[in-house]
Amino acid sequence: MNKKLNQISRPTVLSVALLSAMATQPVVAAELIELDTLEVSGNTITPETNSVNAEQIEKLQANDLEDLFSQSPEVTIGGGVDIAQKLYVRGVEDQLLNITIDGAQQATRLYHHNGRITIEPELLKRVEVNAGAGNALSGPGALGGSVKFVTKDPEDMLKPGQQFGGLVKGTFSSNTDSFKTNTSLFGRLTDDWSAMVSYTQNKPDEYEDGDGNEQAGTSFDQDYLFAKVVGHLTDSQTIRLSYEKRKDEGERTARPQWIVSSFNQLFPMESERETVTLNYELNPVENQYVDLNLTVFNTDSDLFNDGRFGPYYGSGESRGFDLRNTSNIGMHKVTYGLDYRHDETTAGDPTDKEAAEEKSKVKGVYIQDDIQLTDALLLSAGLRYDDYELEDNNDVDFDETEVSHNIGINYHFTDYFSAFASYAEAFKGPLAQDAFKLDGWSKDPNLKPEDADNTEFGVAYESPTLFASAKVYQSNINDLIGDPLFGARVYENVGDLESDGYILRVGNRWDNLMASLSFHHNDAEVDGEDANAYEHGGIANTIGDTWIAQFDYELNQQWAFGWNARFVKGEDNIETSVGDIDKAGYGVHDFYAQWLPSTTDDVRITLTVRNVFDKNYLDHASNGDFEHIAGYEGVKGLNEPGRDVRLSVAWQF
């Protein structure tokens, strides 16, 4: 990135770097390295407020998606237990987002009552979130935005000058009376090659809500294995090969997103995800025309559910690549490339686990140009062409192509104050559907593709001490694909989604203290009706006005403290096709304290208290409470965990 572009992109970069600076306490170099300034590669125009870095993850002692995004104003996670957690960005569910882990697209869907995305936060380096249809680099199908998980390298774990090391970490959680362990080994194989392997195990009991009631179906056994090899082939070439395997098993309700009831009993459920990713970078120092990145990936996901209809298997495979290059040509920073993904989803009983099958392909070509028109004005514009092909389970073929456009500007009035505006489109054709709906469901042969557009504008102020931003957006996703709740078992175009709102943020940094306050208002409607997770599963949900307050204080080099609070306003009389529901408001407080017993010893002790005041509540991102409606007893999401005291000890050697 040239010097001028760095200058004009300051609102974006500093807004994200601010998250890195929330606690400036020196840390053990290997586990929580001092990261480079985070760059939101998916959107160079609007300020970013949702990204998360390794230091935040450590202090939150994040175990799942909900912990991970608890400080992100535009991201909401509901579902209670992690296997049922669904991610919403501006009220839009993750099925309408492009989600990657180290560039590997997470595309297949196995079971609509489960969450689609699971992640182990322990080894994440950062998470980048771009809300709303973004630019051409967001990837295929990013109707509601993109989420990029990036894992640590072995070199991130090693201390300066160290050739080999290890990390042993144990975390006790009071709510689930459990002990989570992580053991990592990392080292240099040669001067140019390094490697790491890490194993995490977590076996919590059922959690208790704020009233002390155990939530059935929330205990599980999880194992996570991660390995990575990094090689610097030359001064300008780097290769990364990573492998991860995540396994979860336990007694779950047949529909894990709902409470136990007469029709939703506990049954054995097992899930597993295995991903292999190869990343290659070529960036000659003296060549401004070549900054090449190649990602090749293969992800296999499996789900076994021994439910009320007997044992059933679902599996999905995604494999593909993304090849892109960036060239700096005068005032232009041009990124262009192509990507490809092949998805295959199968399902069946023990006699034939692949009785039902669907295959789909996505081919894309894209270009994005960041143009430094003046020292103060950045213009970004891009195009993306996508071709979707689907062979469904009923031998019906679909083939849809389209070009998506985007344009945005960012203008600096002063070094600190800027204004921005952007418009972007995204496109998504029919894909292989939910594995547990392959058998018995069909698709409308006249199915239209889904189209999205996103418009937003705002202002940002970023000085060494004071920071503030205001952003207004409107997103539309037309011709949504789904199977209506009470209709025939046919996937069809079910309507249009409109998600609009605004985000406000203000904060200040002092020598040892950082304080911020953010507010997000969102309206998500499907054909003019408030979205709800029961009726609009896979599409959107209604989230009340949300306030997030943060304080981080560094007492000295050994002690740091922080407080985080999320307040959500209640929503009354949400209309659904079966009756009105209410969503009660709530306020949840979290606290952390971190202690380095010695500035030289490699030990760190962290105390985190989640839900300090033991609030009993149902998250707005979970399925709402329909139990007061006759015939819908048991249609209710799980209350969130009550107070949870987490104490961790990490030893670096």
Side-chain angles (χ1 to χ4, degrees):
M1 183 180 293
N2 61 40
K3 183 177 179 181
K4 287 185 178 181
L5 185 57
N6 271 329
Q7 290 174 339
I8 206 68
S9 300
R10 193 177 302 154
T12 301
V13 175
L14 287 181
S15 296
V16 180
L18 151 68
L19 297 174
S20 302
M22 286 182 177
T24 55
Q25 169 184 342
V27 296
V28 177
E31 186 186 5
L32 289 183
I33 59 148
E34 196 167 309
L35 300 177
D36 295 335
T37 299
L38 301 185
E39 177 183 336
V40 180
S41 58
N43 194 328
T44 58
I45 295 296
T46 61
E48 181 54 64
T49 59
N50 301 291
S51 294
V52 187
N53 63 38
E55 194 169 27
Q56 288 174 283
I57 296 170
E58 168 67 18
K59 290 175 179 178
L60 293 169
Q61 300 199 55
N63 286 330
D64 53 29
L65 287 175
E66 187 164 25
D67 295 341
L68 197 60
F69 290 107
S70 61
Q71 297 178 334
S72 302
E74 296 173 83
V75 182
T76 311
I77 311 293
V81 65
D82 66 344
I83 198 172
Q85 289 180 355
K86 299 189 177 185
L87 185 153
Y88 295 89
V89 175
R90 296 178 177 175
V92 179
E93 192 174 321
D94 53 59
Q95 288 192 175
L96 302 176
L97 311 176
N98 183 291
I99 298 179
T100 60
I101 302 175
D102 288 337
Q105 296 179 35
Q106 307 298 303
T108 54
R109 290 169 281 181
L110 298 183
Y111 186 35
H112 50 286
H113 286 289
N114 283 359
R116 192 172 67 88
I117 305 299
T118 56
I119 195 74
E120 172 51 56
E122 192 65 45
L123 293 171
L124 287 177
K125 185 174 182 177
R126 65 182 183 271
V127 187
E128 300 171 1
V129 180
N130 291 305
N135 64 26
L137 309 182
S138 295
L143 302 175
S146 64
V147 182
K148 302 176 182 180
F149 297 95
V150 181
T151 62
K152 296 176 183 177
D153 288 345
E155 294 163 350
D156 296 332
M157 309 288 282
L158 287 166
K159 295 185 291 185
Q162 188 180 32
Q163 296 299 310
F164 176 81
L167 171 70
V168 178
K169 180 179 177 182
T171 303
F172 173 76
S173 296
S174 66
N175 190 295
T176 55
D177 192 25
S178 63
F179 196 71
K180 180 180 180 180
T181 59
N182 169 258
T183 303
S184 301
L185 298 174
F186 34 86
R188 296 187 184 277
L189 305 177
T190 68
D191 290 342
D192 298 321
W193 288 84
S194 60
M196 65 180 291
V197 61
S198 180
Y199 177 69
T200 303
Q201 187 176 61
N202 191 21
K203 296 183 178 182
D205 292 337
E206 293 177 337
Y207 72 71
E208 295 181 355
D209 65 17
D211 285 344
N213 301 312
E214 286 191 353
Q215 297 295 297
T218 62
S219 64
F220 52 82
D221 291 350
Q222 281 182 355
D223 296 278
Y224 178 73
L225 176 65
F226 178 80
K228 181 183 277 191
V229 177
V230 178
H232 301 287
L233 306 179
T234 66
D235 290 342
S236 60
Q237 297 182 81
T238 301
I239 189 170
R240 293 176 173 86
L241 178 64
S242 62
Y243 170 82
E244 67 157 356
K245 184 174 183 179
R246 191 174 193 273
K247 187 174 182 180
D248 177 291
E249 56 185 18
E251 293 284 317
R252 311 289 197 182
T253 56
R255 300 167 177 84
Q257 71 183 119
W258 296 347
I259 61 174
V260 172
S261 67
S262 59
F263 66 88
N264 198 34
Q265 298 296 312
L266 296 173
F267 298 99
M269 182 177 290
E270 299 177 9
S271 65
E272 184 174 292
R273 187 187 70 234
E274 192 172 23
T275 301
V276 179
T277 308
L278 174 69
N279 301 109
Y280 170 76
E281 299 174 5
L282 173 62
N283 184 16
V285 176
E286 303 298 329
N287 191 333
Q288 64 184 12
Y289 304 109
V290 178
D291 186 358
L292 185 72
N293 289 270
L294 170 66
T295 298
V296 181
F297 62 89
N298 189 95
T299 298
D300 289 301
S301 302
D302 297 285
L303 179 67
F304 167 73
N305 185 1
D306 192 1
R308 57 177 178 163
F309 300 115
Y312 202 75
Y313 295 84
S315 65
E317 179 185 14
S318 286
R319 59 182 185 272
F321 68 87
D322 184 309
L323 175 64
R324 65 179 61 183
N325 184 58
T326 300
S327 301
N328 289 293
I329 309 170
M331 68 175 66
H332 299 268
K333 177 191 174 186
V334 188
T335 301
Y336 46 93
L338 53 95
D339 50 39
Y340 170 84
R341 192 184 77 236
H342 179 275
D343 300 333
E344 185 172 336
T345 305
T346 61
D349 60 31
T351 62
D352 187 355
K353 297 179 182 179
E354 299 180 358
E357 180 182 58
E358 289 193 344
K359 297 179 180 180
S360 58
K361 298 177 182 178
V362 187
K363 293 169 282 187
V365 181
Y366 55 86
I367 183 170
Q368 189 72 33
D369 190 4
D370 292 335
I371 311 168
Q372 197 71 56
L373 295 175
T374 70
D375 286 345
L377 180 61
L378 171 69
L379 171 67
S380 184
L383 297 172
R384 182 176 182 92
Y385 169 83
D386 288 300
D387 180 4
Y388 284 78
E389 298 178 19
L390 169 65
E391 301 175 21
D392 83 351
N393 191 44
N394 297 297
D395 298 323
V396 179
D397 294 338
F398 298 86
D399 192 344
E400 300 287 348
T401 62
E402 197 167 305
V403 176
S404 305
H405 311 76
N406 71 83
I407 187 168
I409 59 171
N410 189 314
Y411 183 76
H412 266 258
F413 297 96
T414 69
D415 287 344
Y416 299 151
F417 180 63
S418 64
F420 52 86
S422 67
Y423 171 80
E425 300 172 345
F427 157 72
K428 185 177 182 181
L431 289 171
Q433 294 298 333
D434 184 335
F436 275 55
K437 286 188 176 181
L438 284 185
D439 185 15
W441 272 259
S442 62
K443 295 179 182 62
D444 182 350
N446 299 313
L447 203 59
K448 299 177 183 178
E450 298 168 302
D451 286 287
D453 61 79
N454 180 65
T455 304
E456 55 187 86
F457 59 90
V459 294
Y461 181 86
E462 185 78 38
S463 77
T465 54
L466 178 66
F467 54 90
S469 63
K471 180 164 53 178
V472 179
Y473 64 85
Q474 182 178 56
S475 298
N476 301 290
I477 304 177
N478 299 320
D479 298 318
L480 294 160
I481 296 175
D483 56 325
L485 190 61
F486 303 109
R489 294 184 170 187
V490 178
Y491 279 95
E492 58 188 49
N493 296 113
V494 296
D496 302 330
L497 168 67
E498 180 176 327
S499 171
D500 51 45
Y502 56 91
I503 305 103
L504 307 173
R505 190 165 189 250
V506 64
N508 200 78
R509 292 178 290 265
W510 294 269
D511 289 341
N512 299 319
L513 175 67
M514 194 287 295
S516 71
L517 181 66
S518 61
F519 172 77
H520 182 209
H521 169 81
N522 172 259
D523 287 319
E525 298 181 346
V526 179
D527 285 348
E529 297 182 355
D530 291 336
N532 71 83
Y534 177 65
E535 204 164 6
H536 305 117
I539 298 174
N541 205 351
T542 293
I543 313 295
D545 291 349
T546 301
W547 294 85
I548 295 180
Q550 293 175 248
F551 286 91
D552 287 272
Y553 175 65
E554 179 189 343
L555 178 64
N556 52 43
Q557 291 186 346
Q558 292 179 279
W559 284 98
F561 304 90
W563 169 72
N564 176 67
R566 178 183 286 256
F567 304 96
V568 180
K569 181 183 177 182
E571 292 281 337
D572 296 332
N573 301 317
I574 298 173
E575 294 184 6
T576 79
S577 60
V578 299
D580 293 356
I581 64 170
D582 297 333
K583 291 188 174 184
Y586 48 88
V588 182
H589 302 256
D590 303 324
F591 169 82
Y592 80 83
Q594 194 170 75
W595 177 42
L596 277 69
S598 168
T599 56
T600 58
D601 291 342
D602 296 333
V603 175
R604 181 172 54 259
I605 299 173
T606 306
L607 173 69
T608 304
V609 185
R610 303 275 295 168
N611 195 355
V612 173
F613 299 109
D614 213 15
K615 179 69 176 179
N616 189 40
Y617 69 103
L618 177 62
D619 196 292
H620 279 203
S622 296
N623 197 102
D625 185 354
F626 285 72
E627 287 205 292
H628 62 283
I629 301 173
Y632 286 84
E633 297 81 3
V635 180
K636 175 183 180 295
L638 282 73
N639 287 347
E640 295 298 316
R643 183 186 301 112
D644 187 12
V645 179
R646 300 178 185 176
L647 178 65
S648 72
V649 178
W651 173 48
Q652 167 80 37
F653 60 88

